[in-house]
Amino acid sequence: SRAPVAAYERALREAGIPFLTARLGGLLEAIEVRDMVALMRFLVQEADDLALAQVLKCPLFGCGDDDLAALAARGEATWWLRLCAAGAAAPASPLARAARLLGAWQAIADRLPVHDLLDRVYHEGDALDRYRAAAPAHLAARVEANLHALIELALDLDAGRYPSLTRFIDEIARWRREDANDAPDEGVATADGAVRIMTIHGAKGLEAPIVWLADAHRAVPAAGGNRVLVEWPPQAARPAHFSPVFTAALRGTGREAFFDAEAREDAVEYLNLLYVAMTRARQALFVSGVMPGRNEDGASWYRRIESALAGLGGSPFGVLPAATPAAPAGAPAPAPPAPPRARLPPLGERLAPESPEIRSGKLSHWVLQCLSEGIALDEHAVLARRFAVPAAAVEAAIVRARAALAAPALARFFDPPAGAVARNEAEIVGSDGQTRRIDRIVAFDDEVWVIDYKARLGPDVLPGYEAQVRDYMALVAAVYAPRRVRGALIDLASAALVEVAAVPAG
């Protein structure tokens, strides 16, 4: 059932357990999709100050509260005019980048199909990378899948031939206003090591080592609401019975045979659904439920499974005890042999816990990424819980990151000049098929720098780190040729830059 999904998500989120959900009809409620819809509303009507504020605050631009407060304090008539003026006054600020990109998208919004416009926004605004970086690690794949699903939606509506952005926005508003049954579903994401939450219908054809069947105390659902009772045998040319059904009090007695047949068919279908649910598990099935009093009739899935296991001698593997010969009269009955235990392969993958150094390193990378992109940091307590580090480690990471951003030798990498393109957490695949993740790439007009952050550099670890950067440089050189590629390590403990031998151009 989809009804309690939000409660499951909340519990998993609070426990720090990665999860993925593809909510039916939930695409338009995903926050990243709401951001893109706000962007489209602004492109249609630049006087929509609330939509512009949402767009500026979202990961696409990452403007902070101070930036928005500065806009609110300006005297121009609309926030768009204020943004243009603020961007002109501070060309290197996030506001300037927002003014430049939004102005360019305004110029094409009335000429491009919606899907082409969104494609430009994603590409020119680095939308996928920015949202992936801003999302918790276990939700990044889901966020990216939803952004892709929005483009697919623009292609699906009237085969992508919507005459205007306004019509597309109106259709989205209709879905929300009417809570339409045909509202688009969330994107389907995949991620290793994450719990997947899905309905049984959505799980058909899929398997997993461990499956939880939740809320299993639900009884066979009764058909309700105004409907039509139809009895139409497959071989008949016309229905044998057709009548409207309203409340139970108006059913009468003349149709009881039809109602009983319908109830039997529903019960069989409900058991078929239970079969699908139980056979999704390769190795372990857990069945749980909270039982309302009205389900104490033994019809719920939980009660059926409980009764079946009791009939099988309580074996967790459903193995019947072997038959034993009858004991002579007066002799004590021999104890039945224990049922054989199934031999199962190891369940799941045992991962060694991350060391405090690794957790601290991930925190430092995240803080640097946020500060370099103008993304507001979460509260210290939230970061400490997310990265499983003490609160003091969060403050220390922020101090180190701010020192690195303020170091004169590093200024050009964290605050590059106009025309340079910087990217955090850049992924690149080598010829061996393995993915490398580079902490930061800064592409200038004449050269490209590959930057790797390290907590501490010393003679004992420096050769290994340099070899790692050279591997990155060789891969990047093939992408940015003929520009020269240079590499460096940043010692976060001292905010010092250590250059690695360059790869020749070409």
Side-chain angles (χ1 to χ4, degrees), residues 71-82:
L71 288 183
R74 297 187 68 93
E76 288 80 5
T78 66
W79 274 50
W80 170 238
L81 295 177
R82 300 178 189 190

Side-chain angles (χ1 to χ4, degrees), residues 248-446:
L250 299 177
R251 284 175 46 160
T253 58
R255 298 182 292 176
E256 283 301 321
F258 296 112
F259 283 120
D260 290 344
E262 184 184 56
R264 288 192 298 270
E265 292 173 359
D266 289 345
V268 170
E269 181 58 30
Y270 202 53
L271 286 179
N272 289 339
L273 198 61
L274 174 59
Y275 169 81
V276 172
M278 296 181 67
T279 52
R280 299 312 91 200
R282 293 195 190 102
Q283 294 174 277
L285 173 68
F286 294 86
V287 182
S288 67
V290 177
M291 182 179 61
R294 65 177 180 274
N295 281 350
E296 191 66 13
D297 57 3
S300 72
W301 285 350
Y302 190 99
R303 289 300 185 205
R304 288 179 181 273
I305 296 172
E306 186 179 49
S307 299
L309 286 176
L312 295 173
S315 167
F317 304 109
V319 180
L320 287 169
T324 55
R341 294 190 64 83
R343 293 185 175 274
L344 298 176
L347 189 62
E349 180 183 2
R350 287 353 185 225
L351 300 176
E354 291 181 336
S355 67
E357 292 77 14
I358 291 178
R359 296 197 298 270
S360 179
K362 288 184 175 181
L363 169 65
S364 295
H365 283 60
W366 173 251
V367 171
L368 270 169
Q369 181 176 339
C370 290
L371 294 181
S372 63
E373 295 184 2
I375 299 174
L377 285 171
D378 291 323
E379 296 179 359
H380 287 23
V382 175
L383 291 174
R385 185 166 59 251
R386 180 188 304 175
F387 292 95
V389 298
V394 175
E395 181 61 32
I398 294 174
V399 170
R400 286 194 301 267
R402 293 193 187 282
L405 268 63
L410 306 180
R412 64 190 300 251
F413 302 116
F414 290 116
D415 187 17
V421 177
R423 184 186 298 271
N424 287 309
E425 298 293 317
E427 292 184 348
I428 189 167
V429 180
S431 58
D432 56 0
Q434 299 299 311
T435 301
R436 280 78 158 173
R437 180 168 293 178
I438 303 172
D439 293 341
R440 189 168 177 84
I441 293 178
V442 185
F444 300 99
D445 292 337
D446 56 342

